[in-house]
Amino acid sequence: MPITFDAPSKDKAELETGTAFTPRFDESGLVTAVVTDAKDGELLMVAHMNAQSLALTIETGIAHYWSRSRNALWKKGETSGNLQTVVELRTDCDQDAVWLKVSVAGHDATCHTGRRSCFYRTVSNGPDGAVLTITGGEPQFDPAAVYSKN
Amino acid sequence: MPITFDAPSKDKAELETGTAFTPRFDESGLVTAVVTDAKDGELLMVAHMNAQSLALTIETGIAHYWSRSRNALWKKGETSGNLQTVVELRTDCDQDAVWLKVSVAGHDATCHTGRRSCFYRTVSNGPDGAVLTITGGEPQFDPAAVYSKN
């Protein structure tokens, strides 16, 4: 039977310290998902989940998200082979975000640009405003080759 | 002069590999902010920033957010003393999220429940659906005492 989620409690203490997992989906039906690498804690990506993708993630142990750009269920790594196996799943105090510690298969890369993490640029304050510096390493795969298979 | 942000480029390559920091604020004017502890990488919280709070964060080096519940600028730790000094700021491939590596002052706690991290509960799949287990340690301060000062 697929996992379903009860409506969040209106009681703040119950929401914050209870044992019922009652995600607070936003007006678009989504919670924020933060994804780190279980092996060293590196932040890999930030994505979103609806009830369906969250249930599938819990049931299968493989990370599923909701793609806001494609408006579709998204089994991360289905095309690239970089599937994410969930080592641990947590939620936050008010249950509107989840944290996935994952093990990444395939190229050990999560970003669609081919890099290990989506967070490969540092922001700094320059004389003309905030600027970016690429600090996150080289792509681990060639996106043009990997995604052109579709 | 306060930092301002140019509109995001429509060119995907420029957005993803360029050096211009042009955050893609959503329809509510917000980007997602993921906050980890610079000393050990622990995920502390997920919050949101509008242009004002992001600019203040970059200018002052102290994390500022936008409180969606209070609809107000939020200098994190102003009441509790648990200010966050930004050690590094990153953005992701499509520039709709930022990652702050911070050093936490005061009680070395980030969650309003007094705990170090907001992510103090693990989700697991039980016979009656998904359940939570508190795994994230004891509160570092008493919220009732700290927040009642206001």
Side-chain angles (χ1 to χ4, degrees), chain B residues 17-98:
Chain B
T17 57
T19 58
F21 183 41
T22 54
R24 289 202 308 121
F25 298 105
D26 68 11
E27 63 277 7
S28 303
L30 303 174
V31 291
T32 303
V34 175
V35 187
T36 63
D37 195 316
K39 70 172 183 276
D40 64 358
E42 180 79 1
L43 177 62
L44 300 177
M45 62 184 278
V46 173
H48 295 82
M49 289 179 165
N50 63 359
Q52 182 193 14
S53 53
L54 184 53
L56 275 170
T57 299
I58 295 171
E59 287 162 12
T60 65
I62 303 293
H64 293 70
Y65 304 98
W66 181 257
S67 168
R68 295 184 302 174
S69 56
R70 288 184 282 113
N71 215 31
L73 184 70
W74 170 29
K75 184 178 180 181
K76 170 72 187 166
E78 197 165 27
T79 304
S80 65
N82 300 324
L83 292 169
Q84 298 174 342
T85 299
V86 180
V87 176
E88 188 177 291
L89 179 64
R90 292 189 175 219
T91 192
D92 70 343
C93 44
D94 61 357
Q95 301 199 36
D96 66 352
V98 292

Side-chain angles (χ1 to χ4, degrees), chain A residues 16 89 112 119-120 123, chain B residues 16 89-90 112 119-120 123:
Chain A
E16 293 180 351
L89 179 64
H112 75 285
F119 290 84
Y120 51 83
V123 182
Chain B
E16 293 180 352
L89 179 64
R90 292 189 175 219
H112 75 285
F119 290 84
Y120 50 84
V123 182

Side-chain angles (χ1 to χ4, degrees), chain A residues 3-5 12 14-22 26-28 32 34 36 41-43 46 48 58-59 68 88-99 101 111-113 115 117-125 129-136, chain B residues 3-5 12 14-22 26-28 32 34 36 41-43 46 48 58-59 68 88-99 101 111-113 115 117-125 129-136:
Chain A
I3 291 175
T4 55
F5 304 104
K12 200 160 178 264
E14 173 61 27
L15 193 68
E16 293 180 351
T17 58
T19 59
F21 183 41
T22 54
D26 68 11
E27 64 278 6
S28 303
T32 304
V34 175
T36 63
E42 179 79 1
L43 177 61
V46 172
H48 295 82
I58 295 170
E59 288 161 13
R68 295 184 301 175
E88 188 177 292
L89 179 64
R90 292 188 175 220
T91 192
D92 69 344
C93 43
D94 61 358
Q95 302 199 36
D96 67 351
V98 292
W99 173 17
K101 300 183 188 180
C111 186
H112 75 285
T113 65
R115 293 176 179 84
S117 165
C118 294
F119 290 84
Y120 51 83
R121 286 177 296 182
T122 307
V123 182
S124 57
N125 196 2
V131 291
L132 301 177
T133 309
I134 293 187
T135 49
Chain B
I3 291 175
T4 55
F5 304 104
K12 200 161 179 264
E14 174 61 28
L15 193 68
E16 293 180 352
T17 57
T19 58
F21 183 41
T22 54
D26 68 11
E27 63 277 7
S28 303
T32 303
V34 175
T36 63
E42 180 79 1
L43 177 62
V46 173
H48 295 82
I58 295 171
E59 287 162 12
R68 295 184 302 174
E88 188 177 291
L89 179 64
R90 292 189 175 219
T91 192
D92 70 343
C93 44
D94 61 357
Q95 301 199 36
D96 66 352
V98 292
W99 173 16
K101 300 182 189 180
C111 186
H112 75 285
T113 66
R115 294 177 178 84
S117 164
C118 294
F119 290 84
Y120 50 84
R121 285 176 298 181
T122 307
V123 182
S124 57
N125 196 3
V131 291
L132 301 177
T133 309
I134 294 187
T135 51

Side-chain angles (χ1 to χ4, degrees), chain A residues 12-86:
Chain A
K12 200 160 178 264
E14 173 61 27
L15 193 68
E16 293 180 351
T17 58
T19 59
F21 183 41
T22 54
R24 289 202 310 122
F25 298 104
D26 68 11
E27 64 278 6
S28 303
L30 303 174
V31 292
T32 304
V34 175
V35 187
T36 63
D37 196 317
K39 72 172 183 276
D40 65 357
E42 179 79 1
L43 177 61
L44 300 178
M45 62 185 278
V46 172
H48 295 82
M49 289 179 165
N50 63 0
Q52 182 192 16
S53 54
L54 184 53
L56 275 170
T57 299
I58 295 170
E59 288 161 13
T60 66
I62 303 293
H64 293 70
Y65 304 98
W66 181 257
S67 168
R68 295 184 301 175
S69 56
R70 289 184 282 114
N71 214 32
L73 183 70
W74 170 29
K75 183 178 180 182
K76 171 71 187 166
E78 197 165 27
T79 304
S80 65
N82 301 326
L83 293 169
Q84 298 174 341
T85 299
V86 180

